[in-house]
Amino acid sequence: DHLLALINDILEMSQLESGEIVLAREPLDLETLTSDVFTIIEQRAAESGITMVRDERSDPMELPYVYGSPLHLRQILLNIYTNCIKYNRVGGRITTRFQCLGRKNQVVTYRWTISDTGIGMSEEFQKHLFEPFAQELLDARSTYGGTGLGMAITKSLVDRMGGTITFRSEKDVGTAYTITLPFDIDPSAAPAAAEQHKEADLSVLQGAKVLLAEDNALNIEIAEFFLQEVGVRVTRAVDGRQAVEAFAASPEGFYDAIL
């Protein structure tokens, strides 16, 4: 796992340095994305005996519908949170504060401040935090499992998005990261998104027959669980060939949907 993570990070760092990574400009719901990341990390933190806290002073997200690169924004937040967990202690805490810094024309700027109660960094190491392969402790790779590339990748992505990342840290006290990013507002999304967030009547799915094609064992279990929860009858296909064969062998109109 460590070697695979190292290879992936080296490849991504190489792509960033050569300009090969192209950031997407897709419509996204920041509120949903950040909430999803928080849920993922909350579970990971709990396994390490660390508590996740949402700062009560956080601003409401009044303009969540923006254009951006959801994959890379998620990666930035996950990298920061992962560091906060990795270099924390059992019984420690990670606090997130979200702020809206204002809107100018069609651009809204948001700030995330993510702070931990971990081991912190020495003043000397702080000068090198964003350098590739930088790790303060000589045995950090074996002790904490890091590659030393996460923060360099994060800094590169933030720069590419036109934002800033800063931090303050004190040895044996903790570290606080501040990420500030501008986003183009998506003016067309708000009414449609509001419509989508209305409570859906899922009873219409009772008894529906779905052919589910998925080659990842964990993914198919999760998908099947959610479908069956709302009364869908699921036929599994673990690859494209099985899906085609199942469909070909079924009477016309047998399946209501193929996923």
Side-chain angles (χ1 to χ4, degrees):
D1 286 346
H2 170 68
L3 289 173
L4 182 61
L6 181 61
I7 291 166
N8 286 336
D9 284 351
I10 289 171
L11 288 172
E12 182 156 20
M13 197 68 221
S14 174
Q15 288 177 317
L16 280 165
E17 289 177 341
S18 64
E20 289 178 18
I21 285 185
V22 178
L23 298 182
R25 190 179 187 275
E26 302 171 12
L28 65 97
D29 180 349
L30 272 179
E31 195 158 22
T32 300
L33 185 148
T34 52
S35 177
D36 288 349
V37 169
F38 197 90
T39 301
I40 292 167
I41 289 297
E42 199 167 29
Q43 177 63 35
R44 199 180 296 174
E47 290 168 0
S48 300
I50 297 161
T51 305
M52 298 284 291
V53 179
R54 297 178 194 264
D55 194 315
E56 293 179 355
R57 298 170 297 166
S58 293
D59 297 336
M61 193 175 282
E62 294 177 359
L63 293 166
Y65 308 111
V66 298
Y67 290 104
S69 186
L71 173 69
H72 296 106
L73 176 58
R74 194 178 289 112
Q75 185 176 9
I76 288 168
L77 295 174
L78 285 172
N79 280 358
I80 297 293
Y81 279 124
T82 299
N83 254 30
C84 290
I85 292 172
K86 194 184 299 179
Y87 299 106
N88 215 317
R89 307 178 176 92
V90 174
R93 206 170 59 252
I94 299 171
T95 304
T96 303
R97 183 180 181 188
F98 174 79
Q99 295 168 278
C100 178
L101 302 186
R103 168 182 179 172
K104 187 173 182 181
N105 299 324
Q106 283 299 104
V107 176
V108 61
T109 303
Y110 288 125
R111 172 179 290 164
W112 289 264
T113 303
I114 301 168
S115 52
D116 65 51
T117 57
I119 63 174
M121 294 176 262
S122 66
E123 287 188 22
E124 178 57 32
F125 178 73
Q126 291 178 35
K127 303 171 189 174
H128 307 286
L129 176 63
F130 296 123
E131 295 174 5
F133 301 108
Q135 288 186 316
E136 182 164 16
L137 303 175
L138 292 175
D139 61 346
R141 285 181 177 79
S142 54
T143 304
Y144 299 105
T147 64
L149 281 168
M151 293 309 297
I153 290 170
T154 300
K155 176 73 163 63
S156 295
L157 288 173
V158 170
D159 289 346
R160 292 282 297 277
M161 291 181 182
T164 60
I165 178 168
T166 59
F167 66 93
R168 62 180 188 279
S169 185
E170 188 176 341
K171 194 74 172 170
D172 298 321
V173 174
T175 303
Y177 301 93
T178 301
I179 306 106
T180 304
L181 292 169
F183 296 94
D184 291 337
I185 297 166
D186 181 1
S188 64
E195 194 68 27
Q196 285 176 10
H197 278 83
K198 287 183 179 177
E199 195 66 33
D201 178 14
L202 298 180
S203 64
V204 297
L205 297 176
Q206 283 285 341
K209 293 184 284 293
V210 166
L211 174 59
L212 174 63
E214 170 58 62
D215 62 4
N216 181 285
L218 179 59
N219 289 352
I220 204 167
E221 289 212 14
I222 293 168
E224 188 175 45
F225 171 79
F226 280 119
L227 289 166
Q228 290 177 343
E229 278 281 285
V230 294
V232 173
R233 292 163 61 188
V234 178
T235 300
R236 288 184 174 206
V238 298
D239 58 33
R241 181 181 295 279
Q242 277 194 18
V244 170
E245 290 173 351
F247 179 71
S250 66
E252 187 173 346
F254 180 78
Y255 291 111
D256 297 293
I258 301 174
L259 298 179

